[in-house]
Each structure stands twice: as C-alpha cells, then as structure tokens.
Amino acid sequence: MDADLSASAATDVTPPDSDPARKRRVHGMLKLYYGLNEEGKPDQPESLDPCDINGPHFDPEVFLNKLRKECSLTELMDQESCMVKQIRSLDSDMQTLVYENYNKFISATDTIRKMKNDFKKMEDEMDCLSTNMAAITEFSARISGTLQDQHTQITKLSGVHTLLRKLQFLFELPARLNKCLELQAYAQAVSSHRRARCVLQQYSHMPSFRGIQDDCHAIMDQLAQQLRQKFRDGGSSAKDLSECVELLLQLDEPAEELCDKFLSHAQSRLETDLLGLEAELREPVSVSGPKATVDPAGSSTSKAGEGPAGLTPSTSGTLLSPASRTDILEFIDRGCNEFVSSLCLVIASYQELFVNRPQEGDLACKNIPQMASGKLHSFVDTLAARYFTLVERRIQEEKGVGDNSLLVRALDRFHRRLQAVSKLLPGSAVPSQGTEIVVRAARERIRQYLSALQTFYLDSLTDVRQALAAPRLSVGGAGVAGGRGLLGGESSVKDASPSLPDLLVSLSASILNQIKSVLASVHLFTAKDITFSNKPYFKGEFCSEGVREGLVVSFVKFVCQSSRQFCESAGDRGGTTPPALLLLLSRLCLDYETSTISYILTLTDEQFLVQHHSPVTAVTALCSEAREAAQKLLNHYVKVQGLIISQMLRKSVETRDWVNTIEPRNVRAVMKRVVEDTTSIDVQVGLLYEEGVRKAHSSDSSKRTFSVYSSSRQQARYAPSYTPSAPMDTNLLSNIHKLFSERIDIFSPVEFNKVSVLTGIIKISLKTFLECVRLRTFGRYGLQQIQVDCHYLQMYLWRFVSDENLVHFLLDEIVGSAAHRCLDPAPMEQSVIEVICERG
C-alpha cells in the first residue's frame, strides 16, 4: 500500500512536460547501480542449463529426475534440508529488507508531499514578480519619453560647461604657472603644463592659443633654468635632487646630459667622503708604540693591543701597527656609513630616474635605460676603485699580531655592506672586488702570523744559543736563557748549567704553544657569525690553502729548512754553530717527524674543518722532510765533533818531531783530552738519544792491545832476514790482509741513537789520526809513543762504539802505518806500555 502511495505521489509530482531522455538516463544509472541490463535482468551471461536453479531455463522436473537418478536417499534428504535452509534464509533476508526500507518509504512520501506544496507557493510568487516587472517597465518607458528632450539639452549644456572649464584653465594657465614659480611648486607647474601642452600644440594656429603657448613656453623656460640652477648648486637633498631630475625629464631635457649632471653632482658628494677617509689615513701617527710587558703566566700584554699568548715582546714590538686616531673598525664603519650608504642611495635614485623609469612616447625608442646603465656601472666602478684603494691601505697598516677581533669585524661589516650594492646593481664587479680584498686581507694576516712564528722561532734559537754559550745563565723553570720570556715563565737568573732535555722540552713546548695561539687567533676568520666565513669561495680556500698550507705547513717547512741551513756553514769547526745546538735541532726535527707534525695537522684539520678538495701536502711528506733534516743535522753534528777532535790530533802529530823525540814515559795530554771530549760527547748525546744496539763485547776488550800491534811486531821481527824486496813483500802482506777485512765507511749516515753517533765521531777522529801518521816519518821512540797513545785510546774508546773491532782495526792501522814510516822500527814491550798507560 505504501509502495502504491509512493508511486502515485511520484506520478503526481512529475510534470507532464518532463524530458523522457532524462528519465531514461536516470533509469540507466539505476540499472547500472543494481547490475541490470536493458531488459531489467542481471547483467550476467545467461545459463542454458535446465538444472541450474538460478538460471532462466530452470526445469524442476529435469532437476528432480536428475537428483533421483544420481543421489541416494540420504543425499536427497540432505539436499532437501539444504534447500529448506536456503528458502528460510531468503525469506528472512526479504523480511529484513522490507523492514529496513519501510521508514525510508514513509520519509520519501512526506518529502514529496512537502515539495508539492512548496512548488505551488513558488509558482504564485513568480507570477506576482512577473506582473510587477511588467508594471515597472511600462512606467520607465513613460518617464524616458517625457524626459527625452530635456536629456538632450542637459548633455549639450554639460559639454559646453566642460569646454568652458578647459578654456578657463588654458586662459588662466600662464598666471597659474607664474604663481607656482613664485611658490617654487615646480612639480605642480610641470603637471599643469603637461595637461595643456597637447591642446596648445593642436590649436597653435589660432592667435589666442598661440599667445598662451608662447607665454607658457617662456615661463617653463624660466622654470627649467631655476631647476638647472638648483641642480648645479648641489645644496639640496637627495629627494630634491631626484625631483629636479624627474621634472627636467618631463620638460624634455636630454637624458644623457641629465645622467652626466646627476652623476657629476653625486660624484662631488661622494668624493667628499673619500677625501675624509684619505685625510684620516694621512694623519700623523706615533712611531713608537707602547712597551710590552710579560706577566708571570708568560703572556705578553700591551696597552695598544694584546698578541697571542706567549709571543715575545720583541716580536710583537716590531709587528704592532702604529697608534692611529681611529682603529680599523671605526675606519670601515665610517666608510660604510658615509661612502657606501651614499653610493647605494645614488644607485637607487639613479635607477629609479633613468633605468627603471617607464619610457613613453619618443623616449621609448632612445634606449635610455641601456645608456644610463652603462654610465652607472662606469661611475660606480671608478669610485669603488678609489674606495677600495683606501680600504686596502688601512688594512695594510694592521701589521700587528695582536687581537684579530677588530679586523675580522671590520672585514665582515665591509663585506656585508657591499652585498647591498650587488642587490641594487646586479652584474656589478664591486662585490667581487670587495670579496677579493677580504680574501687578500686574510691571506696577508696569515703571512704576518707566519712571519711572526718564523721570527719567534729564530729568536728562540738565539736564546738557546746564548744559553749554550753562557752555561751559568739560565731561566728558572724554563731552561732557556734570556730576559725576553720567549718560552713562558718569569725570568730569574740562577747559577745552573742548562740541560739539553730542558732546553728541548721548553723550545718544543713554546713553539707548539705559539702555533696553537696563532690558530686560535686565525680561527676568528671562520666564526659562524661572520658572513664571509661561510662563503664557499672563502672558507675552503682559506682553511685549506691559507691556514693549513700557507701557515702550518709553511712553518714546519721553515723549521726544517732553517735547521738544514746550520749544516751549510763553512770551516773545519763548523763555523759558529755550537755542536750542542745541532744535536738539539736534530732531536727537535725527529720529534716533529714522530709526533708533532701529525698532531699539529690533525689539530688544524679538526679546528678548521679542512676539506681537501685540492692537492695538499701530505703528513707523510712533511714527516719525511723533518726526518731528512734531522738526519742531516745529526750527520753534521758527527762531522763537526769529529773534526774538532781530529783538529787536536792533527796538530799533535804535525807539531811534533817524531824522529828525534825522547823515549816515551807517559801518555800525551792530547790523548787524554780526546778521551775526555769523547766522554763528554757521549754524555751530551745520551741526554737526547737512546743508547742503541751494541755488538757483544769480549771479556778482554780492554786488554786486546796485543792483537792490535801483531802485524807491526811481526814486521819488525822478520825485517832483518828480508832481502831488498822484503819491504815490498811486507806491504803486499798488509794489503792482502786489508782485502779480507771489512770495509769501513768513515762518513756514512748515522742512526738516531747514541752508539751510532759516537761510532761516527770516533771513526772520523781515528781516520784523521791515521792519515796524519801516514804523512810523517818516525824514529824508534816516535813509534813507541804512537804505541802508547794507541793503547791508551784502545783502553777507553772501545766502550763507546757499536763494534769494538772497528777501534781495534783503526788503531792497528795507525800503529802499522807508523811502523812502515819508522826509520828504526823497534816496538816497545807490551808490559811497559800497559804500565805507562795505567800510570797515566
């Protein structure tokens, strides 16, 4: 019943002129939703099987016959139960569907009834509206017909009034322009003239209009003259100047001439700022700065500025910039606040007037923006070059190695203010040139610190040399002589000889502290709040090529090179370089090779976040260079010490008459001096280097003198029985013996241990002794004296060398050579030699 009511309601609501196509479309959408085809059946392939209970061709008889034939009684009963369950389920679903949609059907019926009432009201209102609109249209038509004649008259009167107002404006224009000229209302005068210019030009053939035009031209010429005079005076503000240029352009003044005048006036104002900066640079400065003092902690302080902790006052005094009226930050602030700000204002005003100004009429074809832009770039580049020259001159005065904070802040402010120019004037070279100045200043700062480190290192070596030359003068707690506080600590003189390990530790620690202090000062250039520090063109190059390569690596190379220069001194005694200094420097370079270089470079890489994009010096290369310098210094130390002892032995051999000498009764003093000097060298080297490896000594090392002189004694024993060719045979036997002996390289490189160093010195000394003996002629007692001296040397020198056979061999060669050069070879008895040496 409800369904019938719904259907009848739907039929009543549907208008009689409804579109059948629309109905078909709605029905098609419903069929599509429910999956039905055009015939209202499910859109599924039809089944032709008569036994398909869901198919359209289902035949119950065929289905039952098939079941009876194929299924047993039990299966038939099960099939029946299943079908009963399905029928009940379908009935239940149908009832549920009816119950669920019942309320919806009721609601739809109410909605349709309500819509029917609403549509009736709406139709009544539309009819009323249509009636009102028709009445309004009729009334409007009657009014228009009544006012038609009056409207035409009003239109004519309005046109006449407008024309009269224009004519009045034209006739009053000369007086208006004169009034504006008296009040200096130039903008209003130009605007009024521009409004009337076209009309006057159009009707200039009429005498009345021609007279007005001539009067206006005369007045505007006078106004333009006043604007030019105001522009030339230059006493106006930037705003007034811009207004002058704008008005002159509106008066058809040549744009190129106006550009030149504008830039000329701006240049005069900017040159005033530049002259002020230049005058500040020319101010007289004090040549002598304040004296630096050293506090008990070892950091040098000064009233003018503090250097890195530990820098010597002497070094800082030579590098501190002269005291000037203003510091670098104030100078840069003045330049930025005056010159750069004025330049930015000029650029902005100029671009607004000439470059970015919309071109109209004839001006559009003259390419004024291109012309004006070219003049502006040339103008800015010229003045910026002068400003950059002054800035670089001021930066060059910052030669102190004190606090970098002012310089870094000044460069940061300089860099940031120039970025405004790049925004105002894209494509300008000014920002890049300013960046180059910042980069050059940072590089120069690194060179200054490198020079300060080099000077500090050389001064430290000078103090070390003074400490070595004056052994009773030393710095308490620091171990380095001198009153300049090079290595930190308060200077106090004590009567104590300096210790080489203390000197080495103090020298190495002071140099390392200086490097750390310099790195801390340079690190200010890479602070996070510094704008240019994060730029890729600055940070990568500054950290890698500047700090790492230009400062740290260069200083390490300087240490190695300056150390190697001590090996190039002329003279047999090694020039004026103390041997102890050579030994200390060799140990310093060796320590750099083993640990210091790696530590410094690692510290630099971590502190500056160095990224090795370009080829850099490897740690292994620096270590190799330091080891090479250490090896060269140690070799030179061995050579110098060997030459010192050799000089004593040479003089002792050359200044003695070995043919007519007396019978030896004691050991010569020079041999005792040789042993004492060798012992002193052994102690000195042992302070800095390890013992080293020795070959196993025999139990009678100190009593092997007999084997040393066996060849000479045999030659003396058998010499009387030799024929005249006997000496030749003796020499032949000696040479054959040398062929089978181990070759001794006198000047071979030494190892970094005490035994190797002493072995090299003793080889050089004994070799010199041997060569000197070969050039002399000996008598009987001269040969015996050589025996005594060699025995004494053998008693002590074998303890210092790595292989005692080396000493035995060289001493045997010395005695053998003396025996060959002896006129009456009669060796002394061994027991007598031992008694003389033990006594003496």
Side-chain angles (χ1 to χ4, degrees):
M1 178 178 176
D2 292 334
D4 295 339
L5 288 175
S6 301
S8 61
T11 304
D12 294 338
V13 173
T14 303
D17 55 348
S18 62
D19 189 3
R22 182 175 179 275
K23 294 176 63 177
R24 286 196 299 270
R25 185 168 62 254
V26 173
H27 293 168
M29 294 176 64
L30 291 173
K31 292 177 181 179
L32 179 64
Y33 176 77
Y34 289 105
L36 301 177
N37 53 18
E38 295 296 333
E39 289 77 11
K41 298 179 180 180
D43 190 8
Q44 293 180 354
E46 295 183 355
S47 176
L48 301 178
D49 187 6
C51 296
D52 186 3
I53 197 173
N54 294 321
H57 302 283
F58 176 70
D59 190 349
E61 293 298 332
V62 175
F63 179 71
L64 291 175
N65 292 332
K66 183 179 179 181
L67 288 179
R68 284 195 297 266
K69 291 178 181 180
E70 295 178 357
C71 300
S72 61
L73 179 61
T74 305
E75 291 175 351
L76 288 174
M77 293 176 69
D78 294 337
Q79 185 69 24
E80 181 187 7
S81 299
C82 180
M83 292 182 68
V84 170
K85 290 180 180 179
Q86 291 180 359
I87 291 171
R88 291 176 179 174
S89 176
L90 290 175
D91 291 340
S92 176
D93 292 341
M94 184 179 298
Q95 292 176 2
T96 302
L97 184 60
V98 171
Y99 292 152
E100 288 179 352
N101 289 281
Y102 181 78
N103 292 331
K104 296 180 182 179
F105 291 148
I106 299 301
S107 175
T109 302
D110 295 339
T111 302
I112 292 171
R113 185 182 296 107
K114 184 178 179 181
M115 288 175 62
K116 183 178 179 180
N117 296 331
D118 292 341
F119 275 124
K120 288 182 179 180
K121 292 180 181 180
M122 187 179 297
E123 288 177 356
D124 296 339
E125 291 177 356
M126 289 298 295
D127 293 339
C128 181
L129 179 62
S130 177
T131 303
N132 293 335
M133 289 297 295
I136 292 172
T137 302
E138 182 182 0
F139 185 71
S140 176
R142 287 201 302 268
I143 292 176
S144 298
T146 304
L147 298 178
Q148 181 66 34
D149 297 336
Q150 296 180 3
H151 176 73
T152 304
Q153 295 177 2
I154 291 173
T155 304
K156 290 180 180 180
L157 291 175
S158 176
V160 172
H161 180 264
T162 303
L163 180 60
L164 291 175
R165 289 184 59 187
K166 290 181 179 180
L167 291 175
Q168 183 182 4
F169 177 80
L170 290 176
F171 285 117
E172 294 177 355
L173 183 59
R176 186 189 299 271
L177 293 179
N178 284 325
K179 188 65 175 179
C180 291
L181 196 63
E182 293 176 3
L183 299 176
Q184 296 184 353
Y186 303 126
Q188 185 177 353
V190 173
S191 177
S192 299
H193 181 260
R194 284 173 61 85
R195 288 169 57 190
R197 183 169 54 182
C198 295
V199 177
L200 293 175
Q201 183 68 26
Q202 183 178 0
Y203 297 99
S204 61
H205 60 280
M206 297 181 180
S208 58
F209 288 99
R210 183 60 179 267
I212 296 173
Q213 185 181 20
D214 293 340
D215 293 341
C216 291
H217 282 172
I219 296 172
M220 295 310 296
D221 290 340
Q222 185 179 358
L223 185 146
Q225 187 66 27
Q226 292 184 8
L227 287 176
R228 294 191 195 98
Q229 184 63 35
K230 183 178 180 181
F231 187 82
R232 284 193 296 268
D233 291 343
S236 57
S237 63
K239 182 178 179 181
D240 295 337
L241 183 63
S242 301
E243 184 180 359
C244 286
V245 174
E246 178 67 23
L247 295 177
L248 288 172
L249 281 175
Q250 293 179 8
L251 293 175
D252 296 332
E253 287 289 323
E256 186 172 359
E257 182 179 352
L258 288 178
C259 290
D260 293 336
K261 289 181 180 179
F262 183 90
L263 294 178
S264 176
H265 174 74
Q267 184 174 2
S268 64
R269 300 288 297 272
L270 292 173
E271 282 185 347
T272 304
D273 299 335
L274 293 177
L275 290 176
L277 295 176
E278 190 173 0
E280 185 174 337
L281 290 177
R282 288 199 301 265
E283 288 183 357
V285 295
S286 175
V287 177
S288 60
K291 295 183 180 180
T293 59
V294 180
D295 59 11
S299 60
S300 59
T301 59
S302 173
K303 294 182 180 180
E306 296 183 357
L311 274 177
T312 63
S314 61
T315 305
S316 301
T318 59
L319 294 175
L320 282 176
S321 59
S324 58
R325 187 176 64 86
T326 58
D327 55 33
I328 181 68
L329 183 58
E330 293 179 358
F331 181 86
I332 296 296
D333 273 341
R334 179 178 177 182
C336 291
N337 295 333
E338 295 179 0
F339 174 79
V340 178
S341 297
S342 300
L343 182 63
C344 291
L345 181 61
V346 168
I347 293 173
S349 302
Y350 184 90
Q351 287 182 331
E352 183 179 357
L353 293 176
F354 301 107
V355 180
N356 300 329
R357 184 172 179 267
Q359 304 299 319
E360 300 175 355
D362 297 336
L363 298 178
C365 60
K366 295 182 179 181
N367 293 327
I368 294 178
Q370 291 79 355
M371 177 272 299
S373 179
K375 287 182 176 294
L376 180 61
H377 278 83
S378 177
F379 169 80
V380 172
D381 292 343
T382 302
L383 288 179
R386 292 181 55 189
Y387 173 64
F388 290 156
T389 302
L390 297 177
V391 171
E392 286 195 291
R393 284 175 54 188
R394 183 61 183 87
I395 291 175
Q396 289 174 0
E397 293 181 3
E398 295 294 314
K399 296 183 179 180
V401 290
D403 189 8
N404 272 333
S405 58
L406 286 180
L407 176 61
V408 174
R409 288 168 57 194
L411 293 177
D412 178 57
R413 196 159 300 175
F414 173 75
H415 180 270
R416 281 191 288 109
R417 294 301 294 269
L418 288 182
Q419 301 309 308
V421 179
S422 66
K423 295 179 180 178
L424 289 173
L425 193 61
S428 175
V430 172
S432 61
Q433 293 173 357
T435 300
E436 292 176 0
I437 291 177
V438 174
V439 173
R440 284 198 296 270
R443 291 176 180 172
E444 181 62 27
R445 201 63 172 169
I446 290 177
R447 284 193 290 268
Q448 292 174 4
Y449 276 114
L450 176 61
S451 176
L453 283 176
Q454 294 173 350
T455 304
F456 174 80
Y457 174 72
L458 296 178
D459 291 343
S460 300
L461 292 186
T462 301
D463 286 352
V464 171
R465 296 182 69 165
Q466 291 177 358
L468 294 174
R472 296 184 64 82
L473 185 64
S474 66
V475 177
V480 178
R484 293 182 292 177
L486 276 173
L487 306 180
E490 184 178 1
S491 301
S492 61
V493 179
K494 296 183 179 181
D495 294 335
S497 59
S499 172
L500 281 180
D502 294 340
L503 289 176
L504 176 63
V505 171
S506 300
L507 177 62
S508 179
S510 64
I511 295 174
L512 187 59
N513 289 334
Q514 289 304 307
I515 295 176
K516 291 181 179 180
S517 179
V518 167
L519 290 178
S521 299
V522 175
H523 193 263
L524 294 176
F525 283 94
T526 61
K528 293 183 179 179
D529 58 341
I530 304 301
T531 55
F532 60 81
S533 66
N534 297 321
K535 302 297 181 182
Y537 54 78
F538 177 84
K539 188 170 185 180
E541 182 179 358
F542 177 77
C543 295
S544 180
E545 298 181 9
V547 178
R548 190 184 191 277
E549 296 296 313
L551 182 62
V552 178
V553 174
S554 297
F555 176 69
V556 172
K557 290 183 177 180
F558 172 80
V559 171
C560 298
Q561 292 172 0
S562 60
S563 300
R564 286 197 297 267
Q565 291 176 358
F566 287 103
C567 304
E568 300 172 359
S569 56
D572 294 337
R573 299 179 62 86
T576 59
T577 304
L581 181 61
L582 297 175
L583 185 65
L584 186 144
L585 289 179
S586 69
R587 185 64 202 189
L588 178 67
C589 293
L590 185 63
D591 291 341
Y592 268 58
E593 185 265 339
T594 54
S595 60
T596 307
I597 291 178
S598 177
Y599 171 75
I600 293 175
L601 291 182
T602 302
L603 179 65
T604 304
D605 293 344
E606 292 177 352
Q607 190 170 356
F608 290 87
L609 301 176
V610 177
Q611 298 179 356
H612 305 311
H613 297 298
S614 58
V616 295
T617 305
V619 178
T620 54
L622 279 181
C623 292
S624 300
E625 187 172 352
R627 188 174 185 85
E628 180 184 355
Q631 185 68 60
K632 192 172 183 180
L633 285 166
L634 194 59
N635 292 342
H636 192 63
Y637 172 79
V638 171
K639 180 181 178 182
V640 170
Q641 293 286 38
L643 292 178
I644 292 174
I645 298 177
S646 299
Q647 188 69 11
M648 293 190 299
L649 293 174
R650 182 184 296 110
K651 290 182 178 180
S652 69
V653 174
E654 294 176 351
T655 57
R656 189 179 184 93
D657 185 4
W658 295 98
V659 178
N660 300 318
T661 185
I662 61 175
E663 184 177 2
R665 289 292 181 266
N666 50 25
V667 180
R668 287 188 300 153
V670 67
M671 299 302 163
K672 299 179 182 179
R673 177 67 183 276
V674 169
V675 174
E676 291 176 358
D677 289 355
T678 305
T679 304
S680 176
I681 293 172
D682 179 74
V683 174
Q684 186 181 68
V685 176
L687 294 174
L688 299 180
Y689 285 100
E690 291 76 13
E691 180 70 22
V693 180
R694 302 176 186 267
K695 291 186 178 180
H697 298 302
S698 60
S699 58
D700 57 348
S701 297
S702 60
K703 300 181 179 298
R704 293 186 58 180
T705 311
F706 296 102
S707 62
V708 174
Y709 314 113
S710 59
S711 61
S712 60
R713 295 179 65 185
Q714 289 176 1
Q715 294 167 8
R717 183 180 304 171
Y718 296 107
S721 63
Y722 286 164
T723 59
S725 62
M728 182 65 68
D729 297 335
T730 303
N731 292 335
L732 180 60
L733 292 174
S734 177
N735 292 331
I736 293 174
H737 176 70
K738 291 179 181 178
L739 289 176
F740 291 96
S741 62
E742 184 178 358
R743 180 180 178 274
I744 299 177
D745 190 0
I746 302 300
F747 294 98
S748 61
V750 297
E751 299 177 1
F752 296 102
N753 57 71
K754 183 178 71 172
V755 173
S756 180
V757 172
L758 268 296
T759 300
I761 295 173
I762 292 174
K763 284 194 298 184
I764 295 174
S765 304
L766 295 184
K767 184 64 176 178
T768 303
F769 193 12
L770 173 62
E771 297 301 327
C772 293
V773 167
R774 288 178 177 175
L775 298 177
R776 307 295 295 177
T777 302
F778 297 88
R780 173 184 297 180
Y781 297 134
L783 174 61
Q784 293 178 1
Q785 184 65 55
I786 293 296
Q787 286 183 279
V788 173
D789 294 342
C790 289
H791 182 77
Y792 183 81
L793 293 177
Q794 189 274 334
M795 290 175 59
Y796 295 99
L797 296 185
W798 68 272
R799 298 180 177 88
F800 302 114
V801 297
S802 58
D803 187 4
E804 58 183 314
N805 293 326
L806 184 143
V807 176
H808 299 330
F809 177 78
L810 290 175
L811 293 176
D812 182 47
E813 286 291 319
I814 293 171
V815 176
S817 296
H820 283 300
R821 302 289 298 170
C822 183
L823 301 176
D824 183 17
M828 181 179 287
E829 290 296 330
Q830 182 62 29
S831 58
V832 179
I833 295 174
E834 293 178 357
V835 171
I836 294 175
C837 291
E838 292 175 358
R839 186 179 58 192

